[in-house]
Amino acid sequence: MAKFGIGQPVPRTEDPMLVRGEGRYTDDVNLPGQAHAALVRSRHAHGVIRGIDASAARAMPGVLAVHTGQDLAGYGTLKCAVGFPNRDGSPMKKPARPALPTDKVRFVGDPVAVVVAETAIQARDAAEAVVLDIDPLPAVTRASAAAQPGAPQLYDDVPGNVALDYLYGEPDEVAAAFAKAAHVTRLELINSRVVVNAMEPRAALAAFDSATGRFTLHVGCQGAFGMKNAVADILGVPGEKVRVLVGNVGGSFGMKAGVFPEYVAILHAARALGRPVKWTADRYESFVSDHHGRDHEFTGELALDAKGNFLAVRFTGYGNMGAYLGQVAPLMSTLNIVKNAASVYKTPLIEVSTKCMFTNSVLVSAYRGAGRPEGNYFMERLIDAAALEMGIDRGALRKRNQVKPKEMPYDSCSGMTYDSGDFPALFDEAMAVADVKGFAQRRREAKKRGRLRGLGIGGYLEVTAPPNKEMGGIRFEPNGDVTIVTGTLDYGQGHAAAFAQVLTEKLGVPFERIRLSQGDSDQLIAGGGTGGSRSMYASGAAIVEASALVVEKGKQIAGHVLEAAPSDIEFAEGRFTIAGTDRAIGIMELAEKLRAGLRLPEGLPSSLDVSHAGEPMPSAFPNGCHVAEVEIDPDTGVVEVVKYSSVNDFGTLVNPLLVEGQVHGGVVQGIGQAIMEVTAYDGDGQLLTGSYMDYAMPRAGDVPEIGFASHPVPAKTNPLGVKGCGEAGCAGGLGSVMNAIVDALSPYGIRHIDMPATPERVWRAIQDAKAAG
C-alpha cells in the first residue's frame, strides 16, 4: 500500500489506454440513426441581420433541416455566471445571448444558423449554400479602442460598450499613499490575447427520447453536473430531464467549462428531427468559435518608500470581453487581478479599476489561470522596474517585502487570509537552485558568442477557485472493484491515480482495484467541476470525508461479523480489528461477504457504499518562485529560453510526478504566450491568425529542461494539506520569462517590452533604442 499511498510518484493509470489509441473522446461516440450538423457563421465582425435564405441549402442532397434563431426563440440564453456591481453600485450589463442571434452579428464566426444532414460533408456543403443578408457595420476589436468616443457600439443598451466599470479598493487611501511615496514606478502593461488550442476540438452529440422527454448530451467539458444544470436552464426543463455523458477530454484549460451555442442548436435539432445529431468542430472553427484567453490592457503603478517598502499598488485599465460575456468573463480582469497581484508581498493597499469592454471579437473567458497569471505577471514586472529605477537589487527588493512565516495567518490587501507558507525560505532556495550567483559568468560567455543573456525572476502566489460543494462517492462493485464517484472531471490532470492514492491511504483498498466515475451526471449529487486548481482539495477532501463514513459503516458490520460491539472495533491499514486482540477482517473481505449475501440484523447498514457531498473547502494559496534565463540574437530578435528552474509550495504533494507534469505544462503555455503566440485582428474585425499557418505554438525544441523543486508547507484549511498546482506554471512562467527578456535587453536601455516578444518586436525595440541612443 505504501507504494501507492499519498506522496508517491504514481504514473497516470489512464496512460496505457490513451497511448494505445483506446481513448473514447466525444467524436468517437456514434448513435444509431444519427445525423450531422454544421454551423453557418458570420463572415462579418459586425452587422445587422436582414435575412437568412436557406432555400438552396434545404434542397441539397441529404439535408434534413436548417434552423435559425427564430426556431430557437423559445429557449433561454447562454449565461455569464459571474457578476459584480459597477463602481456606482448599479448592476453590470449582461446582454442576453441567444444560441443563434436574430438581430445582429457581433464577431467573425458568430453562428447564425445550423444545417442538419445525413452526413457531415453534406451538412458542411449545405451550410456554404445558406445566403446571409447582413448590413455590415464598423467594428472594433481592442478594448481600449472600444472605450473611445465614437467607437462602434455593439449593444443599444450598453452605452460606451462598458459591460462593467469595476473598482476594488479605496481610491482616496491609495492616492494618499502614492502622494507620500518616495518613488513611484509606472508601466503600461498588456496581457496579450491567446487562442486556447486544446488538442481535442469541441464536439457534441445530442439525443432526445420523446417517450420520456429526456435529453442526452455527449460532450467534452469540465464537469458533467454543472453542464447538466446549465443545459437544463437554457432548455427550460427540470434537471432530471437532462443527462450529460463525458468520456475522455483532450484538454480544455477553462475553455470547455460552459455551454456553447452549438450544443443548444443540436439539442433542438435532435428533438425536432427525432434522431441524434452530431457536431464536431474543425480547427478553423476552434479558432473563431472557442472562447479566447487573456487580453488585458493596464497601467500598473507601484508606490514605495525610500527604503523600498511597498506602500500601495494600483492597476487601471481594460479587460476585453469580446462580443458576448463568457461563463466567467469579468472575473479575469477584475477580482482575480486583485487576489493574485497581491502575491507574496505585504503591500498595505491595492486598487484595481477595470472597464470590461465589449468588442467585435471572439468572446474571452477562462484560460489556464483565469486572471491568476495576469495578476502575478503585472506585479513582478513592476517590482523589476522599481528595483532598476531605485538601484536596489531585484532579489533584495522582493525579500524586503515578502510576508514572513511569523506573520501567518496574514490578512492580505486582497481581502484574503493566507494560512500558510514560507515565502522567504522558498525564495532563497529558488535562487540557489537557479545558481543566480553564477549568472554573471553565463552572461559573459553568451556575450562572446554575440548573444544577449538575461535572467528573470517570477514569484507568484495564486488564490485558487472559490469554494464549491463536491461529491465524494465510494461504491463497492459486484466484481470486487471500488469506484470513486466525483463531480470534478479529468481533462488531462490524472485524477484517477491521485484520487486512488487518497482512497488507498484512507481505506487500504488495493490501488489496482480502484476505478473512477466522473462523466455521468446521473451518478452525481453535486459537483463544481474541474477548474481553478481546486480538484484535489475539493474532491480529495470529499474522498477523505466519504472514507470516514465508510469506516463508520464498516465498524458496525464488522462488529456483527466479529461478534463484538462496534465501539470495540478499530480500523487501520484496511482492517477492522477488535481492540486489544488479533481478531480482524479486511475491508475488501468484508465487502465480499456483503456481496455474498451476509445476513445482518435489522438496523445495520446493508453495504459499505457512500454517496457524500462534501462541504466547500476554502481557497488555498499555492506559491513559488520561477527563474528563467533567455538568450537573444540582437541581429534577428530571436528569443530562446535556455535555462529554467522553479521552486514551488503546493502543500502536501499527493502525487509528485503528476504535480511536476502540471508545472511543466503551465510553463510551456507561459513561454508560448511570452514569446510567440499572437492573436491579431485587422481593422474590419477579421481574425488574421486563424490557423496554425499564422498562429505560432511552442514545440519541444522551444523549451529547455524545466527544473522542478518542492518546498511544501501544508495548507491548514483542508484535511490533506494540499494547495493546488494546475495553473502555477503559467503564473511563474509569464513573469520570469518576460523579466529575463527585459534584463537581456537592458544594455540598450530598454525598460519594458510587451508580450509576445516575437523576433520582429524585439528586433524593432533594439533598432529603436540604437536610434535613440
Side-chain angles (χ1 to χ4, degrees), residues 44 75 124 153 182 240 245 285 312 344 424 520 549 588 635 687:
H44 297 283
Y75 299 122
R124 287 175 183 267
Q153 299 296 293
E240 62 269 19
L245 293 169
E285 278 191 290
V344 298
D520 183 351
L549 296 175
M588 298 301 283
D635 294 328
L687 181 64

Side-chain angles (χ1 to χ4, degrees), residues 20 24-25 38 94 189 227 257 331 375 418 430 518 562 750:
R20 290 194 302 264
R24 192 168 186 259
Y25 298 86
K94 289 188 174 183
L189 297 159
M227 180 63 73
L331 182 64
Y418 304 163
Q518 57 183 347
L562 298 173
I750 295 171

Side-chain angles (χ1 to χ4, degrees), residues 347-373:
T347 312
L349 297 167
I350 187 170
E351 178 187 340
V352 174
S353 298
T354 311
K355 286 190 176 180
C356 297
M357 307 300 299
F358 286 117
T359 67
N360 296 113
S361 63
V362 175
L363 65 158
V364 176
S365 197
Y367 172 74
R368 199 168 191 168
R372 299 173 182 87

Side-chain angles (χ1 to χ4, degrees), residues 238-258:
E240 62 269 19
K241 292 296 183 181
V242 175
R243 183 185 191 187
V244 170
L245 293 169
V246 188
N248 295 115
V249 181
S252 173
F253 313 113
M255 183 266 295
K256 295 175 183 172

Side-chain angles (χ1 to χ4, degrees), residues 722-733:
V722 297
K723 291 183 176 178
C725 66
E727 295 155 321
C730 276

Side-chain angles (χ1 to χ4, degrees), residues 526-596:
T530 293
S533 301
R534 60 178 291 279
S535 294
M536 184 50 74
Y537 75 75
S539 285
I543 292 168
V544 170
E545 293 168 358
S547 297
L549 296 175
V550 170
V551 170
E552 288 305 309
K553 281 188 165 188
K555 285 181 177 180
Q556 296 180 59
I557 301 168
H560 169 73
V561 172
L562 298 173
E563 298 179 333
S567 57
D568 293 331
I569 301 296
E570 297 176 341
F571 181 79
E573 297 182 357
R575 297 182 64 78
F576 295 96
T577 306
I578 300 176
T581 76
D582 60 358
R583 293 184 60 208
I585 184 171
I587 190 169
M588 298 301 283
E589 183 184 353
L590 189 61
E592 175 60 33
K593 286 184 177 292
L594 289 168
R595 286 194 299 272

